[in-house]
Amino acid sequence: MDTVEKIVEDFASDIAMSSFSSGTRLRDMIRAIRACKTAAEERAVVRRECAAIRTAISENEPALRHRNMAKLMFIHMLGYPTHFAHMECLKLIAAAGYPEKRVGYLGLMLLLDERQEVLMLVTNSLKQDLNHPNQFIVGLALCALGNICSAEMARDLSPEVERLMRSREVNTKKKAALCSIRIVRKVPDLAENFMALAASLLKEKHHGVLISAIQLCTELCKASKDALEYLRKNCIEGLVRILRDVSNSSYAPEYDVSGIADPFLHIRVLKLMRILGQGDADCSEYMNDILAQVATKTDSNKNAGNAILYECVQTIMGIEATSGLRVLAINILGRFLSNRDNNIRYVALNMLMRAIAVDALAVQRHRTTILECVKDADASIRKRALELVFLLVNDTNVKPLTKELIDYLSIADPDFKGDLTSKICSIVEKFSQEKLWYLDQMFKVLSLAGNHVKDDVCHALIVVLSNASELQGYSVRSLYKALQAYGKQGSLVRVAVWCIGEYGEMLVNNVGMLDGEEKITVTESDAVDAVEIALNRHSADATTGAMCLVALLKLSSRFPSTSERVKQIVARNKENAVLELQQRSIEFSSIIQRHQSIRSSLLERMPVLDEASYLVKRATATQATISANKHAPTVAPGGLKLPNGVAKPTSAPLADLLDLSSDDAPASTTTSTTTPNDFLQDLLGIGGVSTSTAGVPSTASTDILMDLLSIGSSPLQNGTPGQAESKPVHAVPEAIDLLGSLSSTTSVSAETKPTRLVSQGMDLLDGLSSSTSVSGLEKTVHPSITAFQSTTLKITFDLKRQPGNPRETTIHATFTNLTSSTYTDFIFQAAVPKFIQLKLDPASGNTVPANGNGSVTQGLSVTNNQQGQKPLAMRIRMSYKVNGEDRLEQGQVSNFPSGL
């Protein structure tokens, strides 16, 4: 039986390759290639076949040309080069027989494209075949021209294509229309030659010709405004007739798709109608009746019918349709939302999002169905429905919609909770008309999905609480109850412990009770218990732990009876593995034990936060975040010590030290103290907010919540309003005694009039007095500046401008150790913007003695190529070891005297 099957298979293959004299060779090559087990074997087989083909080409064997071309096409599809046989395509096209031309044109379309120079040689053969009496050869030429036509070929052969569009042969007209689409795309100027022909083809009865003509009309509308106006005047009536005939036509087997008559023609006509009716009221009015007929009579139980309905809806929304017709279209989309097919529901949601701008009231009628889609099992549908719900929200429906979303939040998938929480918070912030409703909704969101709430949302809530004095008692009681039930939600814990710390006496004394609110009994010890439990549960989170310690410290002042217990709780964290908590524990213990006299004033309730300035700050931070996402993140100052378990970042190359990649920013004309988290803005004045009043520090933080609670490293900036510049002291660790800064302040004038020491000119030339200064021998000496200072390290710069070159400044840097431990392996690095040249001399040593008993010095030379236009600026980084432990400090030097 196997032998019989093989004979039948070979016979069938021979029939299929009857136009080839040796068709089996192609089959043998394919079998040999498929039998290869490695890529090397396959390459060897292809090389042998290509060598045999080259030999046949050189020997000019016409009988093997078509077979070799078939083999070359298969080799080309495998990805191997076949450029050596391009001329064989042209020879086959020039042959007289149809089989050779068929293989030649197929090879031409597959092996060549419009960029090949050899294609110019085929223009004459194409022109001859377009005038051939055999319609099949004409069809081959039209197919090839429609696939690889270049602009030059389009101009040369356009008359022949126009003539063939008037042919009596249906297939020829269809292919000529499709070929003309390529011509119009390549040469839009030729569009006017095809306008009348395209309009005349719309009168044909054959559906293939109609679809080709409609595609040509669509392309003409895109290519030329004149063609668009012409088709509006001459084709609308024909398109309406075509759509009515195909909609009302009886069953035709050749065009039927699942009981729908030619859905492809339906959709092409509707797309062209949308283009012609867009922005034209007269055309749109002429289409209204037929569009309503298609929308109401098309069967929506079949996928083909749904495709027609969707295209019909798009057309109605795209033209100047009547309001009733738009409502009908939106109702169709509403029915789509109830379909079991996820794809249909998804495209319906997409279309409804666009329909809101056209008729929001009609979309609102399907709000219930859209809300059900938010709970769908498909993640894509859930997200799209949530975006649509967000667009549907207004002042009248915000409360019911928010209630539905919050109710679903409790059972939503964890992966979806983040998006859902973000949208709910945005809705509540945007449409809240009363603070009590806003607070209730935010408390619910924090309770159900507190781990997904962002810090800026928590800060916004705290700002509202700070300004709502009449609701502070209600808020702290609500948050206390929520904390008892949902203590694992991180953001809820942060907001709750902040409120307990600020308004703990309101919680205990039931201050500010609202109508209908139930009283709760909370003792001073209960309030401390709640914060202690939160501290123990979230001790690994430095932010939450720090907020808990702050709340405990404030409760020790609010409730003196709990002071001893609070001291014990705080003392437990003196050896905490998280340095932030360890540091705060030490400082707060010092406050409780040694500073009783000022503790009450130190721990007073926070002043009311300015809501207006916060909104401006938040908007600015949002824009900064969007811009920062396009750049690599920078290391924040103050990161001298890393928490245990956090890997130390690898040192970046010196060129990448400060990411000073832009030197085309305008020079700053005023001196200001900017946020330490954006050194590039500080150095180059990009996008920063300058301070016009000199010496008044302005601070900002990219983490608003941490800024609110003084968590993390922050710069200490000293200065008085009378100074021309304030001296920034960078990267002050939290380990400093908080009260130390209350008793002493450092004020250094960062800008002093430079003293110019003019060397007295020697009487080198007659006629010059001894008091005349010799040009080129001036030296400008500036006072020393403190470039960097922390609790561990101080760096001073002695500045001197080089004689004869005012752009060059010599800097003598002195590094002083302020701690009791010796620094070893000390390395100093510096980086400047591109318009400044920097040269570093070797340091005097790599060991900095303890307690300021000695120092290390190093020389620098900087050349400001844009002196007078842009100020001198520098970023510095110091790395060293203390008892074998790596330390890293960095900062920016922005207090150079003006004029450098």
Side-chain angles (χ1 to χ4, degrees), residues 579 639-642 648 651 733 791-792 819 821-827 877-890:
L579 295 184
L640 307 184
K641 300 181 181 179
L642 298 175
K648 176 180 180 295
S651 298
T791 55
T792 57
T819 67
S821 301
T822 301
Y823 295 166
T824 58
D825 297 339
F826 184 88
I827 298 176
R877 173 185 290 170
M878 292 68 64
S879 60
Y880 52 90
K881 291 184 178 180
V882 180
N883 299 326
E885 181 183 359
D886 291 330
R887 299 291 179 86
L888 177 68
E889 298 190 49
Q890 65 180 18

PDB file of all heavy atoms in Angstrom, residues 579 639-642 648 651 733 791-792 819 821-827 877-890:
ATOM      1  N   LEU A 579      18.594  51.974  60.366  1.00  0.00           N
ATOM      2  CA  LEU A 579      19.308  53.112  60.939  1.00  0.00           C
ATOM      3  C   LEU A 579      18.386  54.299  61.170  1.00  0.00           C
ATOM      4  O   LEU A 579      18.580  55.072  62.118  1.00  0.00           O
ATOM      5  CB  LEU A 579      20.466  53.499  60.023  1.00  0.00           C
ATOM      6  CG  LEU A 579      21.582  52.459  59.879  1.00  0.00           C
ATOM      7  CD1 LEU A 579      22.700  53.017  59.037  1.00  0.00           C
ATOM      8  CD2 LEU A 579      22.101  52.022  61.232  1.00  0.00           C
ATOM      9  N   GLY A 639      22.361  60.151  51.766  1.00  0.00           N
ATOM     10  CA  GLY A 639      22.397  58.701  51.852  1.00  0.00           C
ATOM     11  C   GLY A 639      23.769  58.225  52.258  1.00  0.00           C
ATOM     12  O   GLY A 639      24.420  57.482  51.548  1.00  0.00           O
ATOM     13  N   LEU A 640      24.224  58.653  53.433  1.00  0.00           N
ATOM     14  CA  LEU A 640      25.571  58.309  53.870  1.00  0.00           C
ATOM     15  C   LEU A 640      25.651  56.886  54.362  1.00  0.00           C
ATOM     16  O   LEU A 640      26.641  56.207  54.179  1.00  0.00           O
ATOM     17  CB  LEU A 640      26.000  59.273  54.990  1.00  0.00           C
ATOM     18  CG  LEU A 640      25.866  60.770  54.665  1.00  0.00           C
ATOM     19  CD1 LEU A 640      26.405  61.581  55.818  1.00  0.00           C
ATOM     20  CD2 LEU A 640      26.584  61.100  53.387  1.00  0.00           C
ATOM     21  N   LYS A 641      24.594  56.436  55.021  1.00  0.00           N
ATOM     22  CA  LYS A 641      24.572  55.085  55.549  1.00  0.00           C
ATOM     23  C   LYS A 641      23.345  54.383  55.007  1.00  0.00           C
ATOM     24  O   LYS A 641      22.260  54.949  54.980  1.00  0.00           O
ATOM     25  CB  LYS A 641      24.526  55.096  57.080  1.00  0.00           C
ATOM     26  CG  LYS A 641      25.718  55.799  57.726  1.00  0.00           C
ATOM     27  CD  LYS A 641      25.622  55.763  59.235  1.00  0.00           C
ATOM     28  CE  LYS A 641      26.793  56.481  59.879  1.00  0.00           C
ATOM     29  NZ  LYS A 641      26.703  56.481  61.351  1.00  0.00           N
ATOM     30  N   LEU A 642      23.534  53.163  54.579  1.00  0.00           N
ATOM     31  CA  LEU A 642      22.431  52.407  54.013  1.00  0.00           C
ATOM     32  C   LEU A 642      21.847  51.485  55.067  1.00  0.00           C
ATOM     33  O   LEU A 642      22.583  50.909  55.863  1.00  0.00           O
ATOM     34  CB  LEU A 642      22.917  51.573  52.821  1.00  0.00           C
ATOM     35  CG  LEU A 642      23.479  52.398  51.659  1.00  0.00           C
ATOM     36  CD1 LEU A 642      24.037  51.469  50.603  1.00  0.00           C
ATOM     37  CD2 LEU A 642      22.413  53.285  51.066  1.00  0.00           C
ATOM     38  N   LYS A 648      24.754  48.148  48.778  1.00  0.00           N
ATOM     39  CA  LYS A 648      25.394  49.425  48.502  1.00  0.00           C
ATOM     40  C   LYS A 648      25.472  49.620  46.998  1.00  0.00           C
ATOM     41  O   LYS A 648      25.891  48.737  46.261  1.00  0.00           O
ATOM     42  CB  LYS A 648      26.810  49.412  49.086  1.00  0.00           C
ATOM     43  CG  LYS A 648      27.621  50.672  48.767  1.00  0.00           C
ATOM     44  CD  LYS A 648      28.997  50.561  49.375  1.00  0.00           C
ATOM     45  CE  LYS A 648      29.826  51.808  49.055  1.00  0.00           C
ATOM     46  NZ  LYS A 648      30.123  51.981  47.662  1.00  0.00           N
ATOM     47  N   SER A 651      29.698  52.294  42.495  1.00  0.00           N
ATOM     48  CA  SER A 651      30.147  53.633  42.140  1.00  0.00           C
ATOM     49  C   SER A 651      30.069  53.801  40.640  1.00  0.00           C
ATOM     50  O   SER A 651      30.550  52.974  39.872  1.00  0.00           O
ATOM     51  CB  SER A 651      31.593  53.839  42.621  1.00  0.00           C
ATOM     52  OG  SER A 651      31.642  53.730  44.033  1.00  0.00           O
ATOM     53  N   PRO A 733      23.223  64.057  58.496  1.00  0.00           N
ATOM     54  CA  PRO A 733      22.537  62.843  58.913  1.00  0.00           C
ATOM     55  C   PRO A 733      21.588  63.126  60.058  1.00  0.00           C
ATOM     56  O   PRO A 733      21.722  64.091  60.796  1.00  0.00           O
ATOM     57  CB  PRO A 733      23.678  61.919  59.350  1.00  0.00           C
ATOM     58  CG  PRO A 733      24.930  62.563  58.849  1.00  0.00           C
ATOM     59  CD  PRO A 733      24.652  64.016  58.745  1.00  0.00           C
ATOM     60  N   THR A 791      28.045  66.333  59.563  1.00  0.00           N
ATOM     61  CA  THR A 791      28.531  66.032  60.914  1.00  0.00           C
ATOM     62  C   THR A 791      29.805  65.217  60.888  1.00  0.00           C
ATOM     63  O   THR A 791      30.436  65.014  61.927  1.00  0.00           O
ATOM     64  CB  THR A 791      27.461  65.257  61.688  1.00  0.00           C
ATOM     65  OG1 THR A 791      27.106  64.106  60.944  1.00  0.00           O
ATOM     66  CG2 THR A 791      26.228  66.114  61.920  1.00  0.00           C
ATOM     67  N   THR A 792      30.175  64.729  59.728  1.00  0.00           N
ATOM     68  CA  THR A 792      31.339  63.843  59.630  1.00  0.00           C
ATOM     69  C   THR A 792      32.490  64.446  58.841  1.00  0.00           C
ATOM     70  O   THR A 792      33.634  64.057  59.042  1.00  0.00           O
ATOM     71  CB  THR A 792      30.919  62.529  58.958  1.00  0.00           C
ATOM     72  OG1 THR A 792      30.352  62.830  57.678  1.00  0.00           O
ATOM     73  CG2 THR A 792      29.888  61.796  59.807  1.00  0.00           C
ATOM     74  N   THR A 819      34.892  63.613  62.982  1.00  0.00           N
ATOM     75  CA  THR A 819      34.504  62.524  63.882  1.00  0.00           C
ATOM     76  C   THR A 819      35.717  62.020  64.645  1.00  0.00           C
ATOM     77  O   THR A 819      36.861  62.451  64.422  1.00  0.00           O
ATOM     78  CB  THR A 819      33.869  61.370  63.097  1.00  0.00           C
ATOM     79  OG1 THR A 819      34.873  60.766  62.256  1.00  0.00           O
ATOM     80  CG2 THR A 819      32.731  61.870  62.216  1.00  0.00           C
ATOM     81  N   SER A 821      36.762  58.916  64.482  1.00  0.00           N
ATOM     82  CA  SER A 821      37.302  57.747  63.773  1.00  0.00           C
ATOM     83  C   SER A 821      38.096  58.215  62.561  1.00  0.00           C
ATOM     84  O   SER A 821      37.711  59.162  61.871  1.00  0.00           O
ATOM     85  CB  SER A 821      36.170  56.825  63.313  1.00  0.00           C
ATOM     86  OG  SER A 821      35.401  56.381  64.405  1.00  0.00           O
ATOM     87  N   THR A 822      39.196  57.541  62.316  1.00  0.00           N
ATOM     88  CA  THR A 822      40.050  57.898  61.186  1.00  0.00           C
ATOM     89  C   THR A 822      39.445  57.392  59.885  1.00  0.00           C
ATOM     90  O   THR A 822      38.938  56.266  59.824  1.00  0.00           O
ATOM     91  CB  THR A 822      41.452  57.300  61.375  1.00  0.00           C
ATOM     92  OG1 THR A 822      42.001  57.801  62.599  1.00  0.00           O
ATOM     93  CG2 THR A 822      42.364  57.680  60.219  1.00  0.00           C
ATOM     94  N   TYR A 823      39.515  58.218  58.841  1.00  0.00           N
ATOM     95  CA  TYR A 823      39.027  57.821  57.526  1.00  0.00           C
ATOM     96  C   TYR A 823      40.199  57.266  56.722  1.00  0.00           C
ATOM     97  O   TYR A 823      41.247  57.914  56.596  1.00  0.00           O
ATOM     98  CB  TYR A 823      38.437  59.008  56.770  1.00  0.00           C
ATOM     99  CG  TYR A 823      37.202  59.609  57.399  1.00  0.00           C
ATOM    100  CD1 TYR A 823      36.734  60.847  56.996  1.00  0.00           C
ATOM    101  CD2 TYR A 823      36.492  58.934  58.385  1.00  0.00           C
ATOM    102  CE1 TYR A 823      35.599  61.405  57.562  1.00  0.00           C
ATOM    103  CE2 TYR A 823      35.369  59.479  58.958  1.00  0.00           C
ATOM    104  CZ  TYR A 823      34.919  60.713  58.557  1.00  0.00           C
ATOM    105  OH  TYR A 823      33.793  61.251  59.111  1.00  0.00           O
ATOM    106  N   THR A 824      39.999  56.106  56.144  1.00  0.00           N
ATOM    107  CA  THR A 824      41.025  55.507  55.285  1.00  0.00           C
ATOM    108  C   THR A 824      40.477  55.352  53.874  1.00  0.00           C
ATOM    109  O   THR A 824      39.266  55.408  53.654  1.00  0.00           O
ATOM    110  CB  THR A 824      41.444  54.135  55.825  1.00  0.00           C
ATOM    111  OG1 THR A 824      40.292  53.279  55.902  1.00  0.00           O
ATOM    112  CG2 THR A 824      42.057  54.247  57.212  1.00  0.00           C
ATOM    113  N   ASP A 825      41.396  55.135  52.940  1.00  0.00           N
ATOM    114  CA  ASP A 825      41.043  54.974  51.516  1.00  0.00           C
ATOM    115  C   ASP A 825      40.162  56.133  51.039  1.00  0.00           C
ATOM    116  O   ASP A 825      39.161  55.941  50.348  1.00  0.00           O
ATOM    117  CB  ASP A 825      40.332  53.644  51.271  1.00  0.00           C
ATOM    118  CG  ASP A 825      41.221  52.455  51.599  1.00  0.00           C
ATOM    119  OD1 ASP A 825      42.453  52.631  51.623  1.00  0.00           O
ATOM    120  OD2 ASP A 825      40.682  51.357  51.834  1.00  0.00           O
ATOM    121  N   PHE A 826      40.544  57.340  51.423  1.00  0.00           N
ATOM    122  CA  PHE A 826      39.734  58.513  51.079  1.00  0.00           C
ATOM    123  C   PHE A 826      39.932  58.864  49.604  1.00  0.00           C
ATOM    124  O   PHE A 826      41.062  58.966  49.124  1.00  0.00           O
ATOM    125  CB  PHE A 826      40.143  59.699  51.957  1.00  0.00           C
ATOM    126  CG  PHE A 826      39.313  60.925  51.744  1.00  0.00           C
ATOM    127  CD1 PHE A 826      38.150  61.117  52.468  1.00  0.00           C
ATOM    128  CD2 PHE A 826      39.690  61.876  50.801  1.00  0.00           C
ATOM    129  CE1 PHE A 826      37.380  62.243  52.268  1.00  0.00           C
ATOM    130  CE2 PHE A 826      38.917  63.001  50.609  1.00  0.00           C
ATOM    131  CZ  PHE A 826      37.752  63.185  51.334  1.00  0.00           C
ATOM    132  N   ILE A 827      38.807  59.016  48.889  1.00  0.00           N
ATOM    133  CA  ILE A 827      38.837  59.364  47.463  1.00  0.00           C
ATOM    134  C   ILE A 827      37.867  60.514  47.233  1.00  0.00           C
ATOM    135  O   ILE A 827      36.717  60.474  47.672  1.00  0.00           O
ATOM    136  CB  ILE A 827      38.445  58.163  46.573  1.00  0.00           C
ATOM    137  CG1 ILE A 827      39.443  57.019  46.748  1.00  0.00           C
ATOM    138  CG2 ILE A 827      38.382  58.577  45.102  1.00  0.00           C
ATOM    139  CD1 ILE A 827      39.059  55.772  45.980  1.00  0.00           C
ATOM    140  N   ARG A 877      31.761  64.073  45.169  1.00  0.00           N
ATOM    141  CA  ARG A 877      31.476  62.795  45.836  1.00  0.00           C
ATOM    142  C   ARG A 877      32.727  62.372  46.595  1.00  0.00           C
ATOM    143  O   ARG A 877      33.840  62.403  46.053  1.00  0.00           O
ATOM    144  CB  ARG A 877      31.088  61.733  44.810  1.00  0.00           C
ATOM    145  CG  ARG A 877      30.935  60.346  45.404  1.00  0.00           C
ATOM    146  CD  ARG A 877      30.676  59.290  44.332  1.00  0.00           C
ATOM    147  NE  ARG A 877      29.360  59.441  43.747  1.00  0.00           N
ATOM    148  CZ  ARG A 877      28.952  58.799  42.676  1.00  0.00           C
ATOM    149  NH1 ARG A 877      29.774  57.961  42.062  1.00  0.00           N
ATOM    150  NH2 ARG A 877      27.729  58.964  42.198  1.00  0.00           N
ATOM    151  N   MET A 878      32.563  61.960  47.847  1.00  0.00           N
ATOM    152  CA  MET A 878      33.660  61.504  48.697  1.00  0.00           C
ATOM    153  C   MET A 878      33.347  60.082  49.172  1.00  0.00           C
ATOM    154  O   MET A 878      32.265  59.829  49.700  1.00  0.00           O
ATOM    155  CB  MET A 878      33.836  62.419  49.915  1.00  0.00           C
ATOM    156  CG  MET A 878      34.329  63.821  49.584  1.00  0.00           C
ATOM    157  SD  MET A 878      33.133  64.837  48.684  1.00  0.00           S
ATOM    158  CE  MET A 878      31.823  64.982  49.912  1.00  0.00           C
ATOM    159  N   SER A 879      34.288  59.184  48.986  1.00  0.00           N
ATOM    160  CA  SER A 879      34.142  57.817  49.485  1.00  0.00           C
ATOM    161  C   SER A 879      35.331  57.488  50.375  1.00  0.00           C
ATOM    162  O   SER A 879      36.459  57.908  50.103  1.00  0.00           O
ATOM    163  CB  SER A 879      34.059  56.818  48.325  1.00  0.00           C
ATOM    164  OG  SER A 879      35.231  56.872  47.541  1.00  0.00           O
ATOM    165  N   TYR A 880      35.075  56.762  51.454  1.00  0.00           N
ATOM    166  CA  TYR A 880      36.131  56.395  52.395  1.00  0.00           C
ATOM    167  C   TYR A 880      35.646  55.230  53.233  1.00  0.00           C
ATOM    168  O   TYR A 880      34.500  54.780  53.107  1.00  0.00           O
ATOM    169  CB  TYR A 880      36.503  57.590  53.287  1.00  0.00           C
ATOM    170  CG  TYR A 880      35.321  58.246  53.966  1.00  0.00           C
ATOM    171  CD1 TYR A 880      34.885  57.823  55.221  1.00  0.00           C
ATOM    172  CD2 TYR A 880      34.633  59.279  53.360  1.00  0.00           C
ATOM    173  CE1 TYR A 880      33.795  58.425  55.838  1.00  0.00           C
ATOM    174  CE2 TYR A 880      33.539  59.887  53.960  1.00  0.00           C
ATOM    175  CZ  TYR A 880      33.128  59.455  55.204  1.00  0.00           C
ATOM    176  OH  TYR A 880      32.055  60.035  55.810  1.00  0.00           O
ATOM    177  N   LYS A 881      36.539  54.745  54.088  1.00  0.00           N
ATOM    178  CA  LYS A 881      36.212  53.627  54.968  1.00  0.00           C
ATOM    179  C   LYS A 881      36.391  54.053  56.423  1.00  0.00           C
ATOM    180  O   LYS A 881      37.346  54.767  56.760  1.00  0.00           O
ATOM    181  CB  LYS A 881      37.095  52.414  54.666  1.00  0.00           C
ATOM    182  CG  LYS A 881      36.804  51.751  53.330  1.00  0.00           C
ATOM    183  CD  LYS A 881      37.641  50.497  53.133  1.00  0.00           C
ATOM    184  CE  LYS A 881      37.303  49.814  51.816  1.00  0.00           C
ATOM    185  NZ  LYS A 881      38.104  48.576  51.600  1.00  0.00           N
ATOM    186  N   VAL A 882      35.450  53.614  57.254  1.00  0.00           N
ATOM    187  CA  VAL A 882      35.525  53.824  58.694  1.00  0.00           C
ATOM    188  C   VAL A 882      35.457  52.453  59.357  1.00  0.00           C
ATOM    189  O   VAL A 882      34.430  51.776  59.290  1.00  0.00           O
ATOM    190  CB  VAL A 882      34.372  54.724  59.195  1.00  0.00           C
ATOM    191  CG1 VAL A 882      34.488  54.910  60.700  1.00  0.00           C
ATOM    192  CG2 VAL A 882      34.393  56.062  58.478  1.00  0.00           C
ATOM    193  N   ASN A 883      36.578  52.033  59.952  1.00  0.00           N
ATOM    194  CA  ASN A 883      36.660  50.705  60.576  1.00  0.00           C
ATOM    195  C   ASN A 883      36.289  49.600  59.592  1.00  0.00           C
ATOM    196  O   ASN A 883      35.599  48.629  59.932  1.00  0.00           O
ATOM    197  CB  ASN A 883      35.755  50.635  61.809  1.00  0.00           C
ATOM    198  CG  ASN A 883      36.148  51.644  62.878  1.00  0.00           C
ATOM    199  OD1 ASN A 883      37.337  51.935  63.052  1.00  0.00           O
ATOM    200  ND2 ASN A 883      35.169  52.185  63.584  1.00  0.00           N
ATOM    201  N   GLY A 884      36.732  49.754  58.350  1.00  0.00           N
ATOM    202  CA  GLY A 884      36.485  48.751  57.336  1.00  0.00           C
ATOM    203  C   GLY A 884      35.146  48.856  56.645  1.00  0.00           C
ATOM    204  O   GLY A 884      34.880  48.122  55.695  1.00  0.00           O
ATOM    205  N   GLU A 885      34.256  49.773  57.090  1.00  0.00           N
ATOM    206  CA  GLU A 885      32.932  49.929  56.490  1.00  0.00           C
ATOM    207  C   GLU A 885      32.951  51.048  55.464  1.00  0.00           C
ATOM    208  O   GLU A 885      33.437  52.146  55.735  1.00  0.00           O
ATOM    209  CB  GLU A 885      31.902  50.241  57.579  1.00  0.00           C
ATOM    210  CG  GLU A 885      30.488  50.397  57.036  1.00  0.00           C
ATOM    211  CD  GLU A 885      29.508  50.782  58.127  1.00  0.00           C
ATOM    212  OE1 GLU A 885      29.932  50.907  59.292  1.00  0.00           O
ATOM    213  OE2 GLU A 885      28.314  50.975  57.796  1.00  0.00           O
ATOM    214  N   ASP A 886      32.405  50.768  54.261  1.00  0.00           N
ATOM    215  CA  ASP A 886      32.389  51.755  53.193  1.00  0.00           C
ATOM    216  C   ASP A 886      31.382  52.850  53.505  1.00  0.00           C
ATOM    217  O   ASP A 886      30.258  52.586  53.947  1.00  0.00           O
ATOM    218  CB  ASP A 886      32.023  51.097  51.854  1.00  0.00           C
ATOM    219  CG  ASP A 886      33.121  50.185  51.362  1.00  0.00           C
ATOM    220  OD1 ASP A 886      34.292  50.447  51.667  1.00  0.00           O
ATOM    221  OD2 ASP A 886      32.801  49.190  50.673  1.00  0.00           O
ATOM    222  N   ARG A 887      31.796  54.096  53.278  1.00  0.00           N
ATOM    223  CA  ARG A 887      30.910  55.242  53.437  1.00  0.00           C
ATOM    224  C   ARG A 887      30.949  56.071  52.149  1.00  0.00           C
ATOM    225  O   ARG A 887      31.956  56.084  51.433  1.00  0.00           O
ATOM    226  CB  ARG A 887      31.351  56.126  54.614  1.00  0.00           C
ATOM    227  CG  ARG A 887      31.339  55.411  55.952  1.00  0.00           C
ATOM    228  CD  ARG A 887      29.928  55.082  56.411  1.00  0.00           C
ATOM    229  NE  ARG A 887      29.910  54.375  57.672  1.00  0.00           N
ATOM    230  CZ  ARG A 887      29.929  54.959  58.863  1.00  0.00           C
ATOM    231  NH1 ARG A 887      29.970  56.282  58.935  1.00  0.00           N
ATOM    232  NH2 ARG A 887      29.904  54.252  59.972  1.00  0.00           N
ATOM    233  N   LEU A 888      29.841  56.758  51.879  1.00  0.00           N
ATOM    234  CA  LEU A 888      29.740  57.577  50.668  1.00  0.00           C
ATOM    235  C   LEU A 888      28.998  58.860  51.008  1.00  0.00           C
ATOM    236  O   LEU A 888      27.940  58.818  51.639  1.00  0.00           O
ATOM    237  CB  LEU A 888      28.988  56.821  49.561  1.00  0.00           C
ATOM    238  CG  LEU A 888      28.746  57.587  48.262  1.00  0.00           C
ATOM    239  CD1 LEU A 888      30.063  57.826  47.537  1.00  0.00           C
ATOM    240  CD2 LEU A 888      27.785  56.813  47.365  1.00  0.00           C
ATOM    241  N   GLU A 889      29.560  59.999  50.618  1.00  0.00           N
ATOM    242  CA  GLU A 889      28.889  61.282  50.783  1.00  0.00           C
ATOM    243  C   GLU A 889      28.983  62.031  49.470  1.00  0.00           C
ATOM    244  O   GLU A 889      29.962  61.879  48.720  1.00  0.00           O
ATOM    245  CB  GLU A 889      29.532  62.103  51.904  1.00  0.00           C
ATOM    246  CG  GLU A 889      29.441  61.451  53.272  1.00  0.00           C
ATOM    247  CD  GLU A 889      29.875  62.386  54.378  1.00  0.00           C
ATOM    248  OE1 GLU A 889      29.393  63.541  54.398  1.00  0.00           O
ATOM    249  OE2 GLU A 889      30.691  61.971  55.201  1.00  0.00           O
ATOM    250  N   GLN A 890      27.987  62.846  49.197  1.00  0.00           N
ATOM    251  CA  GLN A 890      28.010  63.628  47.970  1.00  0.00           C
ATOM    252  C   GLN A 890      27.173  64.880  48.148  1.00  0.00           C
ATOM    253  O   GLN A 890      26.353  64.986  49.061  1.00  0.00           O
ATOM    254  CB  GLN A 890      27.492  62.822  46.780  1.00  0.00           C
ATOM    255  CG  GLN A 890      26.028  62.431  46.880  1.00  0.00           C
ATOM    256  CD  GLN A 890      25.592  61.631  45.669  1.00  0.00           C
ATOM    257  OE1 GLN A 890      26.415  61.101  44.940  1.00  0.00           O
ATOM    258  NE2 GLN A 890      24.301  61.557  45.452  1.00  0.00           N
TER     259      GLN A 890
END
